[in-house]
Amino acid sequence: MTRAFSSYSDRRLGALGRAREFFTLWQSKRQNVAGQAREMLAEVESSRSEMEHALGDRLQDKDILIIGPGQQLVEMSFFARHNRVTGIDLDVIPQHPSVREYLQMFRRNGSIRTLKTMGRKAMGYDRSLRREVERQGLAMDDDPTIVTMDAAAMTFPDDSFDCVFSHSCFEHLSEPGDVIRQVARVLRPGGLAHVDAHLYTSDSGCHDVRIFGGRRESIPPWAHLRPQCRHLVQPNSYLNEIRLSQWKDLFSQHWPGVEFRLRQEGDPAIQGALVPLREDGELKEYEDEELLSVYLVAEWVKPGMAADGETLSTSSGLASGEPVRRPLVCSSRSNTPESKER
């Protein structure tokens, strides 16, 4: 059954919990904006490199769909430098200080989404981040193409895009299987889907903003997976709580030949915390792999015929039919929890 909600931030926290969330967000976003911009740019640059490797071609002059671009639109501006980019999001993403846009957000996404967005803009975070991103070399797109749309029911024609990209969005989807099927439909033969999902079973998978903001003193490792600690966690958004093996089954069902990579936990303190928990008999129902992996990357080249008539491989690689071999685990990118605000 589909869970009906108006926004990814649709999560009941109560008045006190919401006030704490706003305070933590305010503190985390006002600190080290330059570092946040640097991490965001490094993340999207790494994604570009991986996508080009999978395609065997430069990511240039292509039609790209981004699912869940978030509120700052750094990903859209990055890919739009050399491509035609469309972003879709369940949330309204206001581009101007317009009463009409905020009324539309309120009607569609509710008061919490509207208050969070207005508060973020009022404290100048969006402006500061944009200025810092541009200082570090990326010119922000002043006229992005953004459509408010449910990714599980896209209205685009079949075979509309050369690439579909999504970062830290699929964990917020109530029916990700429907979205995966829609991606296969709108992707052109020979096109690439590149999705990374923040794993719920990772330490930061609970999406408590105190973890994202470095204020986790009262939150033990993997608190959301430990019954005696679960009450200490305050997720800031809807999470589908899908586990690693379930994700792999979902993607494989609709994307034949999909390839997977894992991005491992980079914090030595979290890595080391698993040993005593194992000794105490905790988290026995979870494998080390899913506890110590932050992201699952799913990458798929849609099989079919290329423009020159050559048959394309179903594996994520070049059109020659020879699969590109990659390590199962990749930890080259930053594993800092995403700053894409939901």
Side-chain angles (χ1 to χ4, degrees), residues 12-22 112:
R12 293 190 181 127
L13 296 180
L16 181 58
R18 191 63 69 181
R20 287 172 177 164
E21 179 197 18
F22 284 160
I112 298 302

Side-chain angles (χ1 to χ4, degrees), residues 85-148:
V85 178
T86 300
I88 63 171
D89 205 297
L90 188 66
D91 285 357
V92 174
I93 303 175
Q95 297 302 296
H96 310 94
S98 162
V99 173
R100 181 184 62 82
E101 287 186 327
Y102 283 96
L103 283 175
Q104 182 185 10
M105 174 182 281
F106 178 78
R107 293 190 185 109
R108 185 175 182 91
N109 305 132
S111 59
I112 298 302
R113 169 74 278 163
T114 306
L115 286 172
K116 288 176 71 173
T117 301
M118 292 177 66
R120 195 187 65 245
K121 290 185 179 294
M123 71 182 186
Y125 174 74
D126 285 20
R127 185 171 58 253
S128 297
L129 180 66
R130 180 188 179 101
R131 185 166 55 243
E132 186 57 42
V133 165
E134 292 190 331
R135 189 189 70 79
Q136 294 187 27
L138 175 63
M140 293 293 289
D141 188 355
D142 289 325
D143 189 27
T145 302
I146 304 171
V147 183
T148 305

Side-chain angles (χ1 to χ4, degrees), residues 246-258:
Q246 295 171 314
W247 276 123
K248 289 184 175 181
D249 288 344
L250 271 175
F251 283 112
S252 298
Q253 180 180 353
H254 301 292
W255 295 356
V258 61

Side-chain angles (χ1 to χ4, degrees), residues 47-60:
S47 293
R48 179 200 61 77
S49 178
E50 291 177 346
M51 293 168 73
E52 289 185 342
H53 185 248
L55 281 170
D57 189 15
R58 293 190 64 187
L59 207 60
Q60 186 170 320

